[in-house]
Amino acid sequence: MDKLTPVTVHAGFKDMDKLEAIYSEAFPPAERKLTISQIVESTVFKQDVRAYYKDRDVVGFSVSTLLGEFNYFLFLAVSKDVRSCGYGGIILDSIIKECGDKPLIFSIEDPSEQCDNSEQRKRRESFYLRHGCVYMGMKNSSPEGGPTFCLMSSIALEDYTPIKETLESMRGKMAEILAEYAGSANPQN
């Protein structure tokens, strides 16, 4: 299997435009409240933003943050030009391995909801399940009436209560991040 090179993204990153393009093609506007540049520059959370290279080409990126006893995975995206080539799995597996015994927690759009992108949701669900991830038995609704999200974990745990409490407190922090940029226009829409 191909090897990818992860590179930490910082303000002024040379391939930021390529990351923004992948971000725009992979996520709907409702899920792109901030640009990748704004995420990198946020002072509320310490984000781990990485670009993944195959030779000299950016093939994808990830965004995660350490929240106490677990890592929260905000985004994983692969360029549409190389989807279904195994790069997403390489990225996910490397992040899970790096997390060690700390679970990687993330959310996916509920694949059981009737919607325009139901096939895409089912493919995402299948991808994460193939890589050993499990449902946590918790769902979050979007505040603006958007899709319902199902929480998943890289490790099955007996009790997700501490994680749920941390995620609830994180919602307030996310509001702080959005407030940091409330005065700026959102170029992702």
Side-chain angles (χ1 to χ4, degrees):
M1 180 53 72
D2 290 327
K3 183 168 172 48
L4 299 180
T5 304
V7 176
T8 300
V9 177
H10 49 80
F13 188 68
K14 69 179 176 100
D15 286 327
M16 190 66 78
D17 59 331
K18 294 175 183 170
L19 299 182
E20 298 289 5
I22 294 170
Y23 186 48
S24 292
E25 70 192 24
F27 296 97
E31 293 181 38
R32 291 183 277 119
K33 305 252 186 241
L34 301 172
T35 65
I36 297 297
S37 295
Q38 290 170 326
I39 292 168
V40 167
E41 294 167 7
S42 172
T43 59
V44 178
F45 278 122
K46 174 61 180 128
Q47 306 293 345
D48 180 14
V49 181
R50 295 182 190 180
Y52 294 86
Y53 287 82
K54 171 69 179 136
D55 301 320
R56 294 183 174 182
D57 299 321
V58 176
V59 297
F61 74 91
S62 67
V63 179
S64 63
T65 189
L66 180 62
L67 296 173
E69 295 302 311
F70 67 96
N71 290 284
Y72 190 73
F73 201 34
L74 295 160
F75 298 105
L76 165 63
V78 173
S79 170
K80 66 180 177 187
D81 299 330
V82 293
R83 284 195 193 130
S84 300
C85 293
Y87 296 129
I90 292 170
I91 294 168
L92 179 62
D93 291 344
S94 70
I95 293 169
I96 289 172
K97 183 178 179 181
E98 190 175 311
C99 289
D101 62 354
K102 289 187 179 197
L104 180 64
I105 306 298
F106 57 94
S107 60
I108 63 169
E109 292 173 304
D110 188 344
S112 67
E113 280 185 341
Q114 296 298 320
C115 60
D116 293 339
N117 71 335
S118 62
E119 286 304 312
Q120 181 185 47
R121 290 179 182 199
K122 289 175 185 171
R123 283 193 308 273
R124 277 194 192 124
E125 174 190 42
S126 176
F127 168 77
Y128 287 112
L129 292 173
R130 277 194 321 271
H131 288 274
C133 299
V134 297
Y135 279 104
M136 293 172 52
M138 292 184 264
K139 294 184 179 187
N140 288 328
S141 297
S142 296
E144 296 91 24
T148 299
F149 290 88
C150 300
L151 289 168
M152 296 187 79
S153 174
S154 61
I155 299 172
L157 300 174
E158 287 186 28
D159 182 14
Y160 291 104
T161 304
I163 291 172
K164 185 177 181 179
E165 290 169 356
T166 301
L167 291 175
E168 287 299 320
S169 71
M170 189 175 103
R171 284 186 185 205
K173 291 287 186 187
M174 289 304 290
E176 285 181 49
I177 291 172
L178 292 172
E180 275 187 72
Y181 301 98
S184 65
N186 186 350
Q188 296 298 316
N189 288 328

